[in-house]
Each structure stands twice: as C-alpha cells, then as structure tokens.
Amino acid sequence: MNFTKYKSEDFACDETFQKYCLGEGNESTVFWESWIQANPDRQDDIEEAKRLVNILSAKQGRKINQLNELQRAIQQKKLFVDVIDNLTNESKKNTIKKNVIVKFIRNAGGIAALLVIAMGIIYIQRARQKSTISQLHVQPEIKYQATLQKKTVLLPDGSIVVLNKNSTLTLAAGYSAEFRELKLVGEAYFDVKHDEQHPLTVHTASLNVKVLGTAFNVRAYPGQHKIETALIRGKVVVTMNDQSQSPIILKPNQKVIVEPPSKTQEQPGAYKVSNFAVMPIVMDPVNHKAEETTWTRKRLQVVDEPLESIAKKMEEWYGVNIVFANDAVKRYRYTGTFEDETVPKVLDALQLSYPFKFEMRRDSIFIK
Amino acid sequence: MSVEVEYSIYWESFRNGDKQALFDLYNSLYFQLVRYGLKLSADDELVKDSINQVFLELWEKRERLTPVGNVKSYLFTCLRRNMLDQYSYMSKTKSVINIIAVEEEQREMSYEEILINVQQDESLKRRLHEAIQQLTPRQMELIKMKFFDGLSYEQIALSTSQNIKTSYNIIYDAICFLRKTLKKG
C-alpha cells in the first residue's frame, strides 16, 4: 500500500493507523512508528490525523502507554514496600539499642516519645502511599566507570556487562528487572537476561539499541566517530536518535557501523548520521569467535592452584572484586583452562569439581 | 471460549501470582473500562488514573481475593467506586454532584456530551458542538462506532446492514468535514 499520497483524513480513516493511535496491536504500532520516522515530511498530516482520532475517541488514551504505567507503578510500589520494611526493621534495631541507652541515662520518657514520633511517620507514610504512588522515591541513577582496567558488572536484572577501559555505564533511575534503560559512553559487551516483556535499551550519543535477551557489543567512544553495534546472538533493534533512518534489525553475527558525515565535527550527539552499513561480523580464523569481542576474553589457565591465587588472576583480568567469606575455600585447589568465559561461568565450572558457593553483587563476587 | 470465561481464567491466574495474566486482563478490558468511566466523568485523566489504581490494588491484594462470577462487571464496580473515592478525596464538588446524579438516576453521558466535555479548550468545545450538529445522525452513529467503540469497518457494516465500502465512505466524508471545521487556530 502506498501511504505517501495519504492526506490527514486518509490516515485518520485507516484502521491500522487508528490502532497505532490507541496503542493497540503491536504490528500496527511498529509499522506506523517506523513509517513516520522514515517520512518526516509527512509530520504535519500525521499530527493532524492523530489529533482527529484523539478528539473523536474522547481521549481514551494509548493502551500500551497506560499498561507501561501500570507495570511501572507495580514496580515502584514494590520498591516502596521494600523501603518501608527496611525502615521498620531499622527502627526495631534502634529500639533495642535505645533501650540499652535508656538504662544508662534514665531518660525513658524522651526516647519513647521520639520512637512514637518515628513510628508515627512510618504510619503516615503508609497511609499516604495510596495517593502518592506516582511520586514515589525511586532508586537513583547508578554509574559504573572503568578507567584503566575493564570491569565486569552484574545488573539488578541479572544481565552481565563487561565494560571496556575508559567507558562509563549509567543505569537510569529506577532500573530494575522490569525497567531496563541504560546509557553507555565507550565500549561494552552485554549478556542480557532474557525477558521479552521488558526489553533492555542501551542509549548512546547518537543511537539506541533495544534488545530482548541476547549478547552484543556496542562501541561508542566520544572521540571516535564511528559507532558500532555487533550482535553475537539473539535479536536487537537499532534506532537513530535523530530518526534519520528507520529502525535496523540485526541478525546474529551482523554488525552495524554508523558514521558521521565529516571528521571535522567534534560534538558527539550533535552530529547527523549520514552513513550506516550493516555487515557480517569478522570471525577469528583460529577460534571462530567474533573479533569484536576479543577484548572481553582471556585465556585463563590454572594448574593445581589454590582458589585464592586464581581469584587474584580473575580480579586482574576481568576487573571484578572477589571477596572470600570463608578462609577454607581459599585453599581449594583446581586445574583447568578457560576460554571465552565470563567470570560467573568460570566460577560455576570451578565449583563443580570442588563445591563452593558464590554470589555476584554489582561489581563484586562473594565466595563462601 | 466466551470472553467472560477468558476473563475468569485471567482472574484465577493472577490471583495465583501470575503477573502477566493481570496485564492480559488489562489489555482485554482497558477500552471498555475507559468508555465506562468516561460516561460517568468527563475527566479523562482521572478515569485512566483510576483504572490503573484498580489494577494496582487488585495486584496488591491478590492473595485475599476470591473467585468472582462476572469479572467484567466486578471491575466496572471497582472503577466506579475508585472514581468516587478519588472525587471525594480531591473534593471536586461540582463533579461529585455530577457523578452522584449518575448513581441516582443511572444516567450516563452520551457520546456527544463526552466528546465535548473531555476537551478543555473552550474554542474547540464550541467548534466541536457546532460541527456535531451539522453531521447527519447516520454519520454521527458511524463515527461513534468507529472512534469511540473501536469497531472495525467490517463490524460496522454488519451491524448497520450495509457494505464495508459504504460504511467507510460515510465515515470518510464526515472526517473530511470535521478536519476542516476543527482545524487548529
């Protein structure tokens, strides 16, 4: 169907366009979103058609946006309840501490009043939670920086990111398993926890990468003009911030390179994307692995070494802190060779032959 | 499978902790709930907000919920109650009177009333009022089916016993007229 000759009334009368306006039906939404991006000269007609549909539907709203809001509200509510639980637990702890103090300073009256006020605040907050759901305190932005050494980080949703040197990763405020938005400056390899309902989006200076569950590499250093996205497995959608291109869907072992028009432009984010190319990933002839991700890999060979010294090597190579909660485990001895593995996978393999427990939290691993 | 059975399945599943079933129920009933809410109050933001609050509360107290016979009418009742609560909370007295009148007389606003009342811009309200009066009853009926009830051209053709092409043309002509009359500025 040729929509380029459509006027606003044609759009408004089109059934799939109406669905798109009401945020109903994935197919219609994806189609019209990319059509609109690809035809910026039709902006005025599209806006007028949207306005007509909005008026005549009596502002019924976009279902998809409303649903996202509900999902976010449920998530925020959970965060809120967690915060309240922590507060309550802390005030219980304080009660015990203060009771001890009371015995010494014999000033029970004042302390009790204080406690009552504290509990009162918690109750008021509980009572208010119903009406302030949308203004809840959300977990603030979290920033991870790798300067001289690369760094492996576990995100709250279970995804693993290997940050290359001189790179910064910022998790959006409120990042969680259900809200996965982050910003990247530099280069990183992503191993994303699969969740079709909640896509993870990586924002860079000039493009966004939306993924469902997959492994891919993004290179977006500020000084460097080229931005590269390479997909190892799964499926990702790449969109340009300036909407100069329709979204690009990458297949495994493909990469897209985006270049600015001239090398004289120095402001990242301000440049227009003039050139982009989708091409196959170059495979290393020896190990058949993608060259794009060589920097994330390291051959780790251990011959009858205690875990303590293996951990030292891993700390250095993978840029992760390893903490032992149990001294006996330090002396466990292992032999093996690991290639192309992320730290959690190496540890998982090690503990098979001589069991221990480990837990990854942000950029540290705790071994028990 | 009838839709009511489908709603009951979603209901039972989310009661047992399946969050996706709650979202599926939301997807199935969203527009029906919005339309119902708009008939009670012309504050579209309040209607949408109430719907989300209802679902949020259902999820919060899922463990204490019991099976219900008619999920849809249960949700309609929840929505009406939530809107009333919100109104009394915000003490928007004028609207409260409106909604109480609805409770007493069982009177719902018509499509034309809703169309005009949800708009805040006075000049648009006026132009909308004039434009509606110039449309034929048939045009108005079909516009409502298409844009308010969200029916397809096929469904409209079926229920008005005419062919799809004719239904499309009636709506298209009305839209052309409305576009000119409601033009911005």
Side-chain angles (χ1 to χ4, degrees), chain A residues 192-208:
Chain A
V192 176
K193 188 112 181 167
H194 186 80
D195 184 354
E196 278 192 36
Q197 295 297 321
H198 307 100
L200 180 142
T201 310
V202 184
H203 300 274
T204 73
S206 66
L207 56 81
N208 300 322

Side-chain angles (χ1 to χ4, degrees), chain A residues 8-10 13 15 18 22 48 51 55-60 63 66 71 77 133 178 197, chain B residues 19-20 23 26-27 30-31 38 48 52 56 60 111 115 118 146-148 152-153 172 179 182:
Chain A
S8 54
E9 46 264 47
D10 300 296
C13 287
E15 216 143 62
Q18 292 156 2
L22 295 173
E48 197 170 358
R51 181 169 165 266
I55 292 176
L56 295 177
S57 70
K59 297 190 181 172
Q60 292 186 39
K63 186 167 77 175
Q66 292 300 115
Q71 289 171 338
K77 182 94 175 219
I133 293 154
E178 271 131 39
Q197 295 297 321
Chain B
K19 209 192 278 175
Q20 189 50 45
F23 299 149
Y26 185 90
N27 268 325
Y30 173 77
F31 285 113
L38 284 173
K48 290 172 216 167
N52 277 15
L56 185 62
E60 289 299 310
Y111 173 55
L115 269 190
V118 293
K146 179 75 246 174
F147 292 95
F148 191 69
S152 67
Y153 288 114
Y172 187 86
R179 188 186 68 83
L182 303 177

Side-chain angles (χ1 to χ4, degrees), chain A residues 163-202:
Chain A
L163 260 185
N164 205 350
K165 291 169 192 165
N166 301 318
S167 302
T168 311
L169 183 76
T170 313
L171 306 189
Y175 188 100
S176 69
E178 271 131 39
F179 176 64
R180 309 197 287 177
E181 301 262 337
L182 42 84
K183 211 165 66 194
L184 171 71
V185 179
E187 180 168 21
Y189 172 83
F190 294 85
D191 202 333
V192 176
K193 188 112 181 167
H194 186 80
D195 184 354
E196 278 192 36
Q197 295 297 321
H198 307 100
L200 180 142
T201 310
V202 184

Side-chain angles (χ1 to χ4, degrees), chain A residues 227-250:
Chain A
I227 296 185
E228 257 192 59
T229 306
L231 179 62
I232 312 303
R233 63 183 135 81
K235 186 172 154 189
V236 307
V237 181
V238 181
T239 53
M240 309 299 157
N241 284 354
D242 67 356
Q243 311 196 336
S244 59
Q245 299 288 344
S246 3
I248 302 158
I249 296 172
L250 281 189

Side-chain angles (χ1 to χ4, degrees), chain B residues 17-176:
Chain B
D18 180 355
K19 209 192 278 175
Q20 189 50 45
L22 181 84
F23 299 149
D24 290 340
L25 186 64
Y26 185 90
N27 268 325
S28 317
L29 283 167
Y30 173 77
F31 285 113
Q32 298 189 48
L33 287 162
V34 178
R35 286 196 287 270
Y36 175 74
L38 284 173
K39 284 173 188 164
L40 304 180
S41 157
D43 186 342
D44 62 296
E45 288 303 324
L46 177 118
V47 172
K48 290 172 216 167
D49 194 40
S50 284
I51 294 174
N52 277 15
Q53 281 199 22
V54 165
F55 276 83
L56 185 62
E57 274 166 27
L58 286 178
W59 179 249
E60 289 299 310
K61 57 178 193 193
R62 60 185 179 278
E63 279 155 7
R64 298 191 302 272
L65 293 174
T66 51
V68 296
N70 188 326
V71 176
K72 191 169 120 183
S73 55
Y74 180 86
L75 285 172
F76 277 25
T77 311
C78 291
L79 177 59
R80 174 192 287 255
R81 204 175 295 147
N82 187 293
M83 283 170 63
L84 270 170
D85 283 353
Q86 283 210 58
Y87 267 125
S88 52
Y89 179 73
M90 296 186 302
S91 60
K92 277 189 180 174
T93 39
K94 203 174 124 197
S95 314
V96 169
I97 290 164
N98 186 8
I99 205 163
I100 288 170
V102 168
E103 292 258 308
E104 285 168 355
E105 300 168 25
Q106 291 294 316
R107 181 188 164 274
E108 293 181 349
M109 278 191 274
S110 70
Y111 173 55
E112 289 82 349
E113 281 175 293
I114 298 169
L115 269 190
I116 295 164
N117 288 344
V118 293
Q119 298 298 336
Q120 268 124 37
D121 179 0
E122 286 304 324
S123 124
L124 181 60
K125 273 177 189 259
R126 189 173 37 77
R127 279 180 295 154
L128 203 50
H129 180 70
E130 284 162 12
I132 287 171
Q133 289 187 323
Q134 291 180 58
L135 292 176
T136 65
R138 170 119 286 205
Q139 277 177 322
M140 207 54 212
E141 184 195 1
L142 265 64
I143 288 274
K144 172 177 182 280
M145 287 174 147
K146 179 75 246 174
F147 292 95
F148 191 69
D149 301 331
L151 300 183
S152 67
Y153 288 114
E154 203 181 340
Q155 287 168 318
I156 295 174
L158 262 175
S159 67
T160 54
S161 25
Q162 55 196 4
N163 65 42
I164 295 177
K165 187 79 191 144
T166 315
S167 332
Y168 181 88
N169 288 342
I170 293 175
I171 289 171
Y172 187 86
D173 288 345
I175 290 288
C176 286

Side-chain angles (χ1 to χ4, degrees), chain A residues 101-117:
Chain A
I101 300 166
V102 169
K103 281 181 192 157
F104 286 100
I105 60 173
R106 296 166 197 242
N107 190 8
I111 302 285
L114 227 154
L115 274 174
V116 169
I117 292 167

